[in-house]
PDB file of all heavy atoms in Angstrom:
ATOM      1  N   LEU H  63     -55.993 -82.279 -33.029  1.00  0.00           N
ATOM      2  CA  LEU H  63     -55.312 -83.499 -32.601  1.00  0.00           C
ATOM      3  C   LEU H  63     -53.818 -83.258 -32.406  1.00  0.00           C
ATOM      4  O   LEU H  63     -53.181 -83.869 -31.540  1.00  0.00           O
ATOM      5  CB  LEU H  63     -55.523 -84.616 -33.619  1.00  0.00           C
ATOM      6  CG  LEU H  63     -56.944 -85.180 -33.740  1.00  0.00           C
ATOM      7  CD1 LEU H  63     -57.028 -86.174 -34.899  1.00  0.00           C
ATOM      8  CD2 LEU H  63     -57.370 -85.845 -32.445  1.00  0.00           C
ATOM      9  N   ALA H  64     -53.255 -82.360 -33.211  1.00  0.00           N
ATOM     10  CA  ALA H  64     -51.820 -82.062 -33.127  1.00  0.00           C
ATOM     11  C   ALA H  64     -51.489 -81.056 -32.039  1.00  0.00           C
ATOM     12  O   ALA H  64     -50.303 -80.764 -31.803  1.00  0.00           O
ATOM     13  CB  ALA H  64     -51.322 -81.542 -34.472  1.00  0.00           C
ATOM     14  N   GLY H  65     -52.502 -80.510 -31.366  1.00  0.00           N
ATOM     15  CA  GLY H  65     -52.256 -79.553 -30.303  1.00  0.00           C
ATOM     16  C   GLY H  65     -51.972 -78.146 -30.776  1.00  0.00           C
ATOM     17  O   GLY H  65     -51.512 -77.305 -30.000  1.00  0.00           O
ATOM     18  N   LEU H  66     -52.264 -77.831 -32.040  1.00  0.00           N
ATOM     19  CA  LEU H  66     -52.023 -76.490 -32.569  1.00  0.00           C
ATOM     20  C   LEU H  66     -53.150 -75.528 -32.229  1.00  0.00           C
ATOM     21  O   LEU H  66     -53.005 -74.316 -32.373  1.00  0.00           O
ATOM     22  CB  LEU H  66     -51.835 -76.544 -34.086  1.00  0.00           C
ATOM     23  CG  LEU H  66     -50.598 -77.301 -34.567  1.00  0.00           C
ATOM     24  CD1 LEU H  66     -50.529 -77.269 -36.088  1.00  0.00           C
ATOM     25  CD2 LEU H  66     -49.328 -76.722 -33.958  1.00  0.00           C
ATOM     26  N   ARG H  67     -54.280 -76.068 -31.804  1.00  0.00           N
ATOM     27  CA  ARG H  67     -55.399 -75.241 -31.358  1.00  0.00           C
ATOM     28  C   ARG H  67     -56.121 -76.016 -30.268  1.00  0.00           C
ATOM     29  O   ARG H  67     -56.109 -77.243 -30.252  1.00  0.00           O
ATOM     30  CB  ARG H  67     -56.355 -74.908 -32.515  1.00  0.00           C
ATOM     31  CG  ARG H  67     -57.064 -76.132 -33.058  1.00  0.00           C
ATOM     32  CD  ARG H  67     -57.962 -75.807 -34.244  1.00  0.00           C
ATOM     33  NE  ARG H  67     -58.945 -74.798 -33.981  1.00  0.00           N
ATOM     34  CZ  ARG H  67     -60.126 -75.015 -33.401  1.00  0.00           C
ATOM     35  NH1 ARG H  67     -60.442 -76.233 -32.989  1.00  0.00           N
ATOM     36  NH2 ARG H  67     -60.982 -74.036 -33.216  1.00  0.00           N
ATOM     37  N   ALA H  68     -56.726 -75.297 -29.346  1.00  0.00           N
ATOM     38  CA  ALA H  68     -57.490 -75.940 -28.284  1.00  0.00           C
ATOM     39  C   ALA H  68     -58.862 -76.324 -28.802  1.00  0.00           C
ATOM     40  O   ALA H  68     -59.462 -75.611 -29.611  1.00  0.00           O
ATOM     41  CB  ALA H  68     -57.617 -75.002 -27.089  1.00  0.00           C
ATOM     42  N   ALA H  69     -59.358 -77.462 -28.350  1.00  0.00           N
ATOM     43  CA  ALA H  69     -60.719 -77.859 -28.676  1.00  0.00           C
ATOM     44  C   ALA H  69     -61.694 -76.898 -28.000  1.00  0.00           C
ATOM     45  O   ALA H  69     -61.403 -76.328 -26.945  1.00  0.00           O
ATOM     46  CB  ALA H  69     -60.976 -79.286 -28.220  1.00  0.00           C
ATOM     47  N   ASP H  70     -62.864 -76.712 -28.604  1.00  0.00           N
ATOM     48  CA  ASP H  70     -63.895 -75.869 -28.007  1.00  0.00           C
ATOM     49  C   ASP H  70     -64.680 -76.619 -26.932  1.00  0.00           C
ATOM     50  O   ASP H  70     -65.494 -76.036 -26.226  1.00  0.00           O
ATOM     51  CB  ASP H  70     -64.843 -75.353 -29.094  1.00  0.00           C
ATOM     52  CG  ASP H  70     -64.122 -74.438 -30.064  1.00  0.00           C
ATOM     53  OD1 ASP H  70     -63.738 -73.337 -29.650  1.00  0.00           O
ATOM     54  OD2 ASP H  70     -63.927 -74.835 -31.232  1.00  0.00           O
ATOM     55  N   GLY H  71     -64.414 -77.898 -26.832  1.00  0.00           N
ATOM     56  CA  GLY H  71     -64.991 -78.736 -25.793  1.00  0.00           C
ATOM     57  C   GLY H  71     -64.297 -80.072 -25.832  1.00  0.00           C
ATOM     58  O   GLY H  71     -63.798 -80.493 -26.873  1.00  0.00           O
ATOM     59  N   GLY H  72     -64.221 -80.753 -24.684  1.00  0.00           N
ATOM     60  CA  GLY H  72     -63.548 -82.043 -24.652  1.00  0.00           C
ATOM     61  C   GLY H  72     -62.040 -81.892 -24.637  1.00  0.00           C
ATOM     62  O   GLY H  72     -61.493 -80.799 -24.479  1.00  0.00           O
ATOM     63  N   VAL H  73     -61.348 -83.022 -24.856  1.00  0.00           N
ATOM     64  CA  VAL H  73     -59.888 -83.004 -24.751  1.00  0.00           C
ATOM     65  C   VAL H  73     -59.277 -84.015 -25.712  1.00  0.00           C
ATOM     66  O   VAL H  73     -59.804 -85.106 -25.904  1.00  0.00           O
ATOM     67  CB  VAL H  73     -59.446 -83.313 -23.298  1.00  0.00           C
ATOM     68  CG1 VAL H  73     -59.915 -84.692 -22.861  1.00  0.00           C
ATOM     69  CG2 VAL H  73     -57.927 -83.197 -23.141  1.00  0.00           C
ATOM     70  N   ALA H  74     -58.170 -83.613 -26.342  1.00  0.00           N
ATOM     71  CA  ALA H  74     -57.350 -84.527 -27.141  1.00  0.00           C
ATOM     72  C   ALA H  74     -56.114 -84.850 -26.323  1.00  0.00           C
ATOM     73  O   ALA H  74     -55.486 -83.950 -25.750  1.00  0.00           O
ATOM     74  CB  ALA H  74     -56.956 -83.894 -28.470  1.00  0.00           C
TER      75      ALA H  74
END
Side-chain angles (χ1 to χ4, degrees):
L63 291 174
L66 295 180
R67 66 183 304 277
D70 295 292
V73 61

